[in-house]
Structures are given as structure tokens and as C-alpha cells.
Amino acid sequence: MNRYADLKQRQQQEFSAFPMQFAFSNQQFAEAMAALGLEPTDTDKVYKTPGGGIYRREDGPRLKEMMDRFDRELQEAIAGDQTGDGFIYEMFLYELNVHEYGYTMDTEDTLDALGYTVEEVLGNPRLKRGIEKAVTEICGRD
């Protein structure tokens, strides 16, 4: 069981259920607008995101609340790990594996994904303990 992976999966499922469409052509845009219950000319009723996302302006506050809550949940889980041996370790282990640390031996992509600098991690005993434990776990594999 990895609590960080579970949190990410639950949050991804919730995000995926949010009424957002993606369009990369005029035809897809028309289809996306229809899926949102709008006409293609109702561009004043939607927000566009980087990467082709489109969602109704009226859903903007709901999206912001959801994203703020996701961040709060992560920060609370990190704060709840008093030693770095629990959630923090699981977080680093998951992200190091996703970013192929065992192959690259480079933590940069992992730290970028989590929004940390090397200095922040090394300056926080809990974060430092978590990443060291995760690196040791990965390096100890055959």
C-alpha cells in the first residue's frame, strides 16, 4: 500500500470526472462545446486551458476549490508524517519510480514534479529522511 499513490489516484479520478473537454481542431472544438451544452459561438461562456482544455466559466469556482483541496490534502498528509518514514517516503518512492530514478540516478524530475528544490529537501529533516529512504530502497533492488 502506498498512501501517496492512493491519494494521487483518488484525486485523478475526481479530476477526470470534472466537466472538461479537450479539443485540438475546429471540429473537436464544436464537439467539445456541444458536450458542455454550449454552441461553438458561446466562447464567452468557457475558459480554455493550456493543452486544449475547455470548461464552462460557471464551473471555474468548483475547479479552483477542487485544486486547492487537492493541494491541502497533500500538504496535510506531508505535515502528518512526523519522521519522513511514512507518507513522505511513499511520496518520494512513487515519484522517483515514475521518473525512472533507478535508471537515471537523477532526482531533478522528481523534485520538479513535487515542487521542491534540492535545498528545501535537504533543509527539512523529514523530507531529507524520506528521500534518502526512498533512494536506498530503489538502489537496493537487484
Side-chain angles (χ1 to χ4, degrees), residues 52-132:
I54 303 165
Y55 63 97
R56 291 183 300 259
R57 285 181 183 262
E58 66 189 44
D59 292 331
R62 201 171 106 217
L63 178 62
K64 180 176 180 351
E65 183 282 324
M66 180 174 62
M67 300 309 290
D68 289 347
R69 182 171 39 82
F70 287 175
D71 186 54
R72 259 190 334 274
E73 290 170 351
L74 176 61
Q75 296 309 315
E76 288 170 2
I78 291 169
D81 183 352
Q82 297 302 308
T83 63
D85 290 321
F87 184 87
I88 293 170
Y89 156 72
E90 293 168 4
M91 172 183 75
F92 281 121
L93 183 65
Y94 177 91
E95 292 294 346
L96 287 166
N97 280 320
V98 167
H99 293 95
E100 299 182 346
Y101 176 79
Y103 174 72
T104 66
M105 297 304 200
D106 186 355
T107 62
E108 184 177 354
D109 289 341
T110 294
L111 296 181
D112 285 347
L114 293 169
Y116 289 118
T117 65
V118 171
E119 294 78 19
E120 288 172 315
V121 171
L122 296 179
N124 181 312
R126 296 176 310 121
L127 296 177
K128 184 176 183 222
R129 169 69 181 142
I131 199 167
E132 287 173 347

